[in-house]
Amino acid sequence: MGLLSNRIDRSSLKPGDHIYSWRTAYIYAHHGIYVGDDRVIHFTRRGQEVGTGTVLDLILVSSGPSRGHTHCPTCVPPNEGYGVVSSCLNCFLAGGVLYRFEYSVNAAHFLAKARGGTCTLAVSDPDDIVVHRAKHLLQNGFGCYDVFKNNCEDFAIYCKTGLLVLEGRTMGQSGQAVSIIGGPIAAVLSTPMRLVTTNVYGMAATAVSVYCASRYATDIGMRADVAKVAVEDLTRRLSSGLFQVIEPPLAANVLPTTS
């Protein structure tokens, strides 16, 4: 564990760890909670690790494990419904490298991590509480998957902290998603600098500053619109419709990957 990499050895894993693994070309990372006995509980959409219901899925799905991947005897293949699933560590990693998500980092460390979805300023709860939340959600669900508002990273962060970003009656939003959205926004907001300077380095520095500021302000550990929600209360509210995440419709032009 360090500033440059969160990579860890399997021998250092302990129940309650928030782990992740980058997929092809570092397009995205898949997140989950290690609960011991070589098991990882994680959140998926329709048997896929990610999904938007748009043509973007052609890129995201192709970068992840093949849907034709043969699961080991100890893992139940994910069904076509969205939901929380349990896999062995090998199936979760799908040939990727193991990383541990960091909690309680300081501001300098957080900003030094250029890519979102690797650490947070928020404080983790005790490991036994983390495992309890993950196992409860495995049995009761975490609502509908949404790559921008309710994804695998949101699931893991909630298990670790019990914190949810509440925007009206919706849940969201992960550091990984903020990074995807924040880059283009930073570029747009830095465009007026052209009126002040034509120096490309000055414009680049402004874009980076805007991007870092947006990541910092939207981190779960900094936001004012978060609430601590007990897992039993969360699943009760989800089942009664008090929390809603509307799943994007499946795009007709998204093709499944083949082995």
Side-chain angles (χ1 to χ4, degrees):
M1 297 288 286
L3 183 61
L4 297 179
S5 175
N6 293 351
R7 183 171 179 172
I8 61 169
D9 294 323
R10 294 187 182 210
S11 59
S12 68
L13 271 178
K14 66 182 187 305
D17 277 349
H18 172 174
I19 61 175
Y20 63 96
S21 182
W22 293 103
R23 298 316 193 208
T24 305
Y26 290 84
I27 292 176
Y28 76 96
H30 189 50
H31 294 247
I33 298 294
Y34 182 72
V35 295
D37 297 324
D38 200 46
R39 306 301 299 180
V40 182
I41 296 176
H42 52 115
F43 190 40
T44 66
R45 178 182 188 264
R46 298 185 182 277
Q48 298 174 189
E49 292 180 354
V50 292
T52 64
T54 71
V55 71
L56 181 61
D57 287 356
L58 289 172
I59 300 174
L60 294 174
V61 175
S62 64
S63 70
S66 168
R67 291 174 67 89
H69 170 71
T70 302
H71 287 261
C72 71
T74 63
C75 291
V76 178
N79 58 36
E80 292 302 309
Y82 51 77
V84 182
V85 298
S86 175
S87 304
C88 72
L89 184 58
N90 283 337
C91 285
F92 173 82
L93 293 175
V97 176
L98 175 63
Y99 297 86
R100 181 189 287 136
F101 195 95
E102 294 182 282
Y103 286 80
S104 303
V105 301
N106 59 43
H109 186 107
F110 180 84
L111 294 174
K113 296 279 191 178
R115 183 72 179 264
T118 61
C119 62
T120 179
L121 298 146
V123 178
S124 171
D125 287 328
D127 292 335
D128 58 334
I129 295 177
V130 175
V131 171
H132 168 71
R133 289 186 184 124
K135 290 183 175 180
H136 183 85
L137 294 174
L138 176 63
Q139 299 299 321
N140 296 277
F142 193 61
C144 294
Y145 185 101
D146 185 292
V147 71
F148 295 116
K149 290 187 176 182
N150 196 41
N151 58 40
C152 59
E153 185 186 347
D154 289 310
F155 167 82
I157 289 176
Y158 170 74
C159 289
K160 289 288 285 185
T161 66
L163 297 175
L164 288 177
V165 176
L166 304 179
E167 301 171 347
R169 290 169 57 177
T170 66
M171 298 156 53
Q173 174 184 62
S174 71
Q176 192 168 205
V178 170
S179 291
I180 295 172
I181 300 170
I185 291 177
V188 171
L189 293 179
S190 65
T191 300
M193 280 294 292
R194 293 179 182 176
L195 302 177
V196 180
T197 179
T198 58
N199 187 308
V200 66
Y201 298 107
M203 292 179 60
T206 301
V208 170
S209 298
V210 172
Y211 169 71
C212 290
S214 68
R215 279 189 58 227
Y216 184 79
T218 55
D219 181 70
I220 192 79
M222 289 297 297
R223 297 180 66 147
D225 57 345
V226 299
K228 193 93 168 182
V229 180
V231 68
E232 293 82 6
D233 190 31
L234 170 62
T235 52
R236 179 185 62 80
R237 295 190 192 189
L238 285 170
S239 63
S240 63
L242 294 178
F243 285 156
Q244 294 182 349
V245 177
I246 306 302
E247 183 184 26
L250 289 175
N253 57 350
V254 174
L255 303 176
T257 59
T258 57
S259 58

